[in-house]
Structure formats: structure tokens, C-alpha cells
Amino acid sequence: MYLSKIEVHHYRNYSKEKVTLCDKVNIFIGDNAQGKTNILESIYILALTKSHRVGFENNFLQHGYPSCRIYGLLRDHQSLKELEIQISEEKKKVFLNQKEIRKIASYISQMNVIMFSPTDLDIIKGSPQIRRNLLNIEISQLYPLYVNYLNEYNKILKTRNEYLRQMSINGNTDSRYLEIMNEKLVDRGVQIFLYRKKYLDMINDQISNIYEKIMNKKGLRVVYQNSLDFENDEIEQMKAVFLHKLASNLKREISQGMTLYGPHRDDFFFAIGEENMKYYASQGQQRLAIISFKLSEVSIFQKEKGSSPILLLDDIFSELDISKRNQLIHYIPEDVQTIITTTDLKNIQKKILNRAKVFLVKDGTIQEKVE
Ligand SMILES: Nc1ncnc2c1ncn2[C@@H]1O[C@H](COP(=O)(O)OP(=O)(O)O)[C@@H](O)[C@H]1O
Ligand SMILES: [Mg+2]
């Protein structure tokens, strides 16, 4: 799939801007603070309804305006889809072919993007929440059902935690009510686990090969860390293990007033052989491990969706030395739409530049660069 057009209205530092993209490489070049990341972010939001910049997301509206709009035309095989998101202080609305879509799950599986960002190092260095968030976003793009399981799980989790807190305060226990909640929590929780496991297994089918080609080092893998120690993938047995865990830790859960086991505690780490990269790898190795992860996703998306995702590369060339840069480019299939931002065209190989569409970004305006 590829985005043939993107339009933004009163979005961040853009008043009104419209860009026609090509289906291969698109490069946005400009000095710092001109709006390069903003435009890439707008494409990400159009696809996923939220920003990749955590903690910076409540600032979409151009200063002084009550709402903003992002619109895009997506081509996928024979189909043409109009996507639109309208954001105001109070709410977000999404539209597919001008029809409002109320089920976010069915909207966010329409347009698939993979973002490469300078803040990606947090995927290794940061908190487990960042890694769970990454998994959730990527899996949601592939399987709308996952979004439903996740939403239901989070709802039950919230109610259950409140109930545990009440139990710790007033001491009474309606064990029947708790049992019902446990059944539901375990049911959704096991599904989430299976999706995550499948996803990380698919990553592991690719990641070591890619990393070895770029870094000349074997053995990169991702390791799923789950608080439940399932012994196999048999659903009924997994549920039994999960239920048992809840039952045998009830006292602790009541005293802490929260659910201590389940996918909301999941994590994964990057390892080379047996070594966790967080503690043993250089920053450069970590960066390339994450890039290898994201490159692995390209073929997962192609296989699972029958269509290529759109790659968004935010200023990542400046972080890599020239030889790594070239190897990375070598891994991006030619037929995948790629949207790159950079401050300097020197960062980009001639070979790629020749087949790219280049745009100049300056103070919230975008112009196509013609030679
Ligand atoms: N809500 C907003 N309204 C107006 N300007 C904004 C808003 N949010 C961010 N900006 C401006 O956008 C610019 C940063 O754009 P960005 O895309 O991050 O730059 P870069 O080109 O370096 O990637 C800054 O000048 C910032 O002040
Ligand atoms: Mg930027």
C-alpha cells in the first residue's frame, strides 16, 4: 500500500498544506524545527489515531485553533481509500471514505505504517511499558481482534484492581464476583499472550539474519518475558495456569491493591546469545538491533496483510555511519513506500536520491524540489 496524498489543516506548525507523494522514496529535507517530524507524525496519526511521540501528543492543534484535520488518500492494490481524522480538544473522529468509523479497531487496520525514530533507543533502554506499547500498536495494525481483546482486558483489569483495593479497605470478599472477573481476565489475557507470542516468533524468524548482514554478528533474538510461565500453547491449560496464579496470590494482590500477573506485566528484551543487550551492547549495536526489529516487521506485514506497510524514517540517517546507512537502505525493498526526513541530502545515497521525490520543509510549508 502507499499514501498518494496527505493534507493537514491547522495541525502543529502547519496552517494548510497538501503534498502528493510517490509510491517509492519520498524525502523531506529542512533545517531543525521546520516541521519535518510533524509531517511524518501526521501520517502516523492518520494511520493509528495517535502519535509516536509519547508525552508530546496533546499538542496537535495549531496554536490558537480549536481543531485540526489530517486527510490522506491510500492506494492498496486496486482500491483507493480516503482516510481522515479530525481532532479537537474534546474528541477525535475518524472517517473512512467520508463515513465516520466508530470502531477504532477496524480503522487502524486500514493503513499500516512502521516508524523508525531517533527515540527508538528507548525500546531497549526504556521501561517495559514502551515495549508493550510497541507490541500493541504493531499487532493492532495486523489483527483487529487483538484490539478488542486488549480493550476488554484493560477494562476488566481496571475493575478488578478497584475491587481488590476495596477488599483491602473493608475486608469483605464476594468471592463469586471475583471469580467471574478472573474468568474474563484469564480468557482475554491468554488470547493477548498468544498474539504477542506469535508476533515475537515471527520477528525471530527474521531478525538474526538481518542483524548479521548489517553488523556481521550472529545470534540476535527477542525474548518474551511473561509472568505466567506457561508450559505450552494449549488454551485450556494456559487458562488453568493463569487462574491458579491469581488464586494463589490473592492475599498479596489484596494487600497491594492490584493485579500482579498477566499481560499488563509482560516484557521482552533483545539478546545476543544469552546476553541481554540492554546491559551488554553498545549504543550503536542497540540502535541497529531495533532497526533490525523494524525491518523484520516489513515482511511480517507483507505476509499477514498481503500488502507492504509504509515506512516512516525520521532523521535516522544522521545517527548511523555511512556503511551502516547503505546496508540499511539495501534492506528496504524497492517497492515499499518510504518517507524519510533529513537535514542534509548528503546523508542519502545518490542511487536512492535519483529515484526519490524531494520536498523542502520550511517554517510549516512544504514545496516539491525540482532540479
Ligand atoms: N501545536 C503547535 N502549534 C504550532 N507550532 C507547533 C505546534 N507543535 C509544534 N510546533 C512547532 O513545530 C516545530 C517543530 O517541528 P518538528 O517537525 O518537530 O521539527 P523538525 O523539522 O526539526 O523535525 C517547532 O517550531 C514547534 O514550535
Ligand atoms: Mg525532527
Side-chain angles (χ1 to χ4, degrees):
M1 63 178 67
Y2 75 97
L3 191 66
S4 64
K5 196 193 234 181
I6 177 85
E7 267 181 53
V8 290
H9 296 255
H10 300 309
Y11 166 78
R12 293 218 191 260
N13 67 334
Y14 290 95
S15 296
K16 212 171 191 191
E17 203 50 72
K18 199 192 287 191
V19 180
T20 302
L21 300 161
C22 76
D23 62 354
K24 302 206 166 61
V25 181
N26 298 270
I27 301 171
F28 288 85
I29 169 171
D31 292 339
N32 281 324
Q34 301 303 307
K36 300 185 300 300
T37 300
N38 290 348
I39 196 75
L40 219 54
E41 179 191 47
S42 75
I43 295 170
Y44 188 93
I45 295 170
L46 185 67
L48 296 168
T49 78
K50 50 185 162 198
S51 175
H52 67 292
R53 292 194 276 192
V54 182
F56 193 56
E57 53 275 83
N58 296 321
N59 201 13
F60 298 146
L61 313 184
Q62 187 180 22
H63 294 320
Y65 288 86
S67 65
C68 75
R69 191 172 88 89
I70 306 167
Y71 168 91
L73 264 185
L74 184 75
R75 289 186 182 269
D76 191 7
H77 299 293
Q78 298 312 317
S79 81
L80 183 64
K81 290 175 192 164
E82 285 181 279
L83 301 179
E84 182 171 340
I85 179 161
Q86 296 174 2
I87 306 172
S88 67
E89 297 275 354
E90 304 82 47
K91 57 176 182 268
K92 264 184 224 170
K93 281 188 188 177
V94 292
F95 301 82
L96 175 63
N97 297 327
Q98 302 184 10
K99 208 172 139 254
E100 186 173 357
I101 303 290
R102 296 191 191 273
K103 280 206 97 148
I104 288 285
S106 55
Y107 181 84
I108 60 179
S109 54
Q110 300 291 332
M111 174 173 161
N112 301 143
V113 293
I114 297 173
M115 171 71 84
F116 296 68
S117 152
T119 59
D120 278 353
L121 262 185
D122 293 344
I123 295 168
I124 288 183
K125 291 183 185 287
S127 68
Q129 168 113 42
I130 291 172
R131 288 177 288 280
R132 283 194 295 272
N133 198 30
L134 174 71
L135 283 184
N136 289 343
I137 286 166
E138 308 301 50
I139 301 171
S140 298
Q141 295 195 64
L142 295 177
Y143 315 109
L145 255 183
Y146 179 80
V147 185
N148 295 344
Y149 286 128
L150 197 63
N151 288 341
E152 286 173 12
Y153 181 87
N154 287 332
K155 234 182 259 168
I156 303 159
L157 182 68
K158 200 166 163 238
T159 316
R160 189 174 185 273
N161 284 343
E162 274 161 21
Y163 194 66
L164 288 169
R165 272 194 296 275
Q166 273 176 29
M167 286 166 89
S168 78
I169 294 166
N170 56 28
N172 59 9
T173 54
D174 177 353
S175 59
R176 182 71 200 121
Y177 183 51
L178 198 64
E179 262 169 41
I180 294 168
M181 275 194 289
N182 287 356
E183 293 282 344
K184 283 188 187 163
L185 190 81
V186 161
D187 182 72
R188 276 50 158 199
V190 162
Q191 294 296 339
I192 293 166
F193 172 86
L194 287 170
Y195 274 107
R196 288 180 179 171
K197 177 159 188 303
K198 175 179 168 187
Y199 195 74
L200 291 174
D201 282 347
M202 291 191 289
I203 294 283
N204 276 330
D205 288 341
Q206 319 265 346
I207 195 168
S208 150
N209 257 333
I210 295 175
Y211 188 75
E212 187 182 346
K213 295 237 166 72
I214 302 176
M215 293 298 275
N216 210 3
K217 201 170 164 89
K218 286 191 204 305
L220 176 66
R221 62 196 175 111
V222 286
V223 183
Y224 190 8
Q225 286 179 302
N226 187 280
S227 55
L228 293 161
D229 311 317
F230 294 125
E231 274 163 15
N232 56 44
D233 287 358
E234 210 284 304
I235 292 185
E236 288 313 314
Q237 284 184 37
M238 293 167 74
K239 286 186 188 173
V241 170
F242 197 167
L243 278 173
H244 179 73
K245 204 81 170 182
L246 294 176
S248 54
N249 287 282
L250 183 60
K251 268 209 187 105
R252 271 182 63 219
E253 290 198 319
I254 293 172
S255 78
Q256 297 189 35
M258 64 177 148
T259 304
L260 298 172
Y261 295 91
H264 62 292
R265 290 288 178 100
D266 276 1
D267 199 357
F268 72 92
F269 64 91
F270 289 75
I272 294 193
E274 295 305 315
E275 287 179 354
N276 185 335
M277 287 189 91
K278 185 172 181 173
Y279 308 113
Y280 293 99
S282 71
Q283 185 141 313
Q285 290 170 325
Q286 293 179 351
R287 200 176 286 288
L288 267 304
I290 293 158
I291 288 173
S292 303
F293 182 98
K294 303 227 167 169
L295 289 172
S296 309
E297 295 187 306
V298 178
S299 56
I300 295 176
F301 276 60
Q302 286 171 330
K303 191 162 147 267
E304 295 298 297
K305 295 287 294 254
S307 187
S308 297
I310 298 164
L311 305 191
L312 307 175
L313 276 57
D314 191 16
D315 209 17
I316 62 164
F317 290 95
S318 53
E319 318 270 353
L320 303 172
D321 65 49
I322 296 204
S323 73
K324 299 285 185 299
R325 233 177 262 163
N326 293 341
Q327 275 153 314
L328 165 60
I329 290 289
H330 170 79
Y331 263 93
I332 297 177
E334 287 213 4
D335 58 345
V336 173
Q337 187 183 35
T338 309
I339 306 172
I340 299 172
T341 70
T342 183
T343 48
D344 193 346
L345 284 183
K346 278 203 223 79
N347 287 331
I348 305 199
Q349 249 184 318
K350 264 268 155 7
K351 210 176 99 199
I352 295 149
L353 218 47
N354 288 340
R355 58 183 173 97
K357 202 166 176 182
V358 179
F359 301 92
L360 306 172
V361 182
K362 195 161 187 243
D363 196 16
T365 63
I366 301 174
Q367 260 184 341
E368 190 178 339
K369 183 171 184 272
V370 275
E371 297 297 322

